[in-house]
């Protein structure tokens, strides 16, 4: 198992998409910080040239980041069906293959998230005013609360990539799983109490409300994320066991 994970790690860290995606996000955050800084220098009365506003802009990008999480599972699953066949031929079980690739994918994402968080804090502290004493604390808490939702997204993408061949199919299925129910429940929440409850407890709800004041207990996103992670992780393994390479 460890040898398999080392092999997957070797392939993961040598894939350009991992670094290109990270560089793109860093450039976007840097551009946002520089623009706010420039406006602040041009107009001293500019009220948005501060850390708190910058962090909330980063938080508002989370739904887009959630959509683009497919980069990570596809590095090890999407275009490597022949590699899967060869790995199985070496005597590894499908459970070992599935678990090893998922753990390496998750580790890659966590490293990615840690680097981006550090970069955003660096940009905010170096270029912008600290107008709110607890801006960094609020930002840290919000990112921690959205972490299980992101892990659920990675797991879902991974389970889809394990059994689907085309990226367009994976993306469509992903949108149907997460975003379609959110908007359907949003349309029904005014008529049914159960729809309102489900709407305020699905992962996408937390993504869209991340930059606002938290109005729900801190443990709720963790429970919601855990449910999606366990369900789609198990479903993906079940379908992966039945799939022919």
């Amino acid at each position: 198992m460890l040898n398999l994970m080392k092999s997957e790690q070797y392939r993961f860290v040598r894939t350009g998409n991992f670094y290109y995606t990270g560089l793109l996000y860093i450039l976007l955050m840097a551009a946002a910080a520089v623009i706010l800084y420039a406006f602040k220098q041009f107009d001293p009365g500019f009220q948005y040239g501060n850390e708190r506003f910058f962090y909330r802009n980063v938080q508002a990008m989370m739904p887009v980041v959630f959509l683009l999480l497919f980069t990570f599972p596809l590095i090890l699953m999407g275009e490597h069906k022949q590699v899967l066949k060869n790995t199985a031929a070496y005597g590894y079980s499908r459970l070992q293959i599935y678990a090893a690739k998922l753990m390496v994918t998750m580790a890659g994402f966590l490293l990615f998230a840690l680097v981006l968080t550090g970069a955003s804090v660096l940009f905010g502290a170096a270029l912008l005013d600290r107008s709110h004493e607890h801006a960094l604390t609020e930002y840290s808490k919000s990112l921690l609360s959205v972490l299980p939702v992101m892990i659920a997204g990675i797991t879902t993408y991974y389970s889809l990539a394990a059994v689907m061949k085309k990226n367009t199919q994976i993306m469509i299925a992903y949108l149907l799983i997460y975003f379609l129910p959110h908007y359907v429940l949003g349309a029904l929440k005014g008529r049914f109490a159960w729809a309102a409850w489900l709407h305020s407890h699905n992962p996408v709800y937390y993504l869209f409300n991340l930059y606002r004041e938290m109005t729900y207990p801190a443990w709720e996103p963790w429970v919601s994320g855990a449910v999606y992670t366990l369900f789609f992780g198990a479903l993906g393994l079940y379908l992966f066991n039945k799939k022919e390479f």
Side-chain angles (χ1 to χ4, degrees):
M1 182 69 170
L2 289 177
N3 289 334
L4 180 56
M5 290 182 65
K6 288 180 180 178
S7 175
E8 297 300 334
Q9 180 188 12
Y10 180 87
R11 292 202 302 108
F12 192 96
V13 299
R14 283 162 177 76
T15 303
N17 288 342
F18 179 66
Y19 303 100
Y20 298 148
T21 305
L23 180 61
L24 174 62
Y25 286 136
I26 290 175
L27 290 175
L28 289 174
M29 288 191 296
V34 169
I35 290 172
L36 292 176
Y37 173 79
F39 274 101
K40 182 67 175 179
Q41 296 304 306
F42 178 76
D43 180 8
F46 184 66
Q47 60 180 329
Y48 302 112
N50 58 76
E51 275 187 294
R52 193 183 199 191
F53 184 79
F54 170 69
Y55 292 149
R56 291 196 171 185
N57 273 271
V58 174
Q59 293 165 336
M61 290 172 56
M62 287 300 121
V64 177
V65 176
F66 191 73
L67 279 175
L68 298 178
L69 288 177
F70 72 91
T71 301
F72 298 93
L74 292 184
I75 290 175
L76 294 180
M77 273 295 190
E79 305 297 337
H80 300 283
K81 303 304 181 185
Q82 186 61 39
V83 175
L84 289 174
K85 185 183 295 185
N86 294 338
T87 305
Y90 284 126
Y92 292 104
S93 68
R94 297 206 176 195
L95 173 59
Q96 289 176 315
I97 296 172
Y98 187 87
K101 287 179 176 290
L102 178 57
M103 285 189 285
V104 171
T105 301
M106 201 65 70
F109 164 72
L110 292 176
L111 176 61
F112 176 88
L114 184 61
V115 170
L116 290 190
T117 299
S120 65
V121 172
L122 180 62
F123 292 141
L127 296 177
L128 303 169
D129 297 333
R130 175 165 292 181
S131 62
H132 192 279
E133 181 181 356
H134 303 294
L136 184 56
T137 302
E138 291 178 351
Y139 182 54
S140 301
K141 287 182 178 179
S142 68
L143 292 182
L144 188 61
S145 72
V146 83
L147 178 60
V149 176
M150 293 297 185
I151 290 175
I154 287 283
T155 306
T156 305
Y157 260 125
Y158 179 84
S159 66
L160 295 173
V163 296
M164 293 182 175
K165 294 182 178 180
K166 296 182 179 180
N167 295 348
T168 52
Q169 293 176 337
I170 297 172
M171 179 62 78
I172 292 172
Y174 190 74
L175 291 173
L176 291 176
I177 289 170
Y178 281 98
F179 287 88
L180 180 60
H182 175 76
Y183 288 110
V184 171
L185 291 170
L188 296 176
K189 67 179 181 179
R191 300 176 58 188
F192 305 102
W194 59 265
W197 188 88
L198 289 175
H199 179 262
S200 62
H201 289 81
N202 72 84
V204 175
Y205 173 84
Y206 302 118
L207 289 172
F208 283 142
N209 290 276
L210 186 64
Y211 61 94
R212 298 172 181 163
E213 295 294 334
M214 189 178 294
T215 58
Y216 46 82
W219 54 264
E220 282 193 0
W222 286 88
V223 173
S224 179
V227 169
Y228 275 75
T229 297
L230 293 174
F231 177 79
F232 286 104
L235 179 62
L237 176 59
Y238 173 77
L239 296 175
F240 185 69
N241 281 328
K242 292 182 172 296
K243 185 175 178 60
E244 294 185 6
F245 296 148

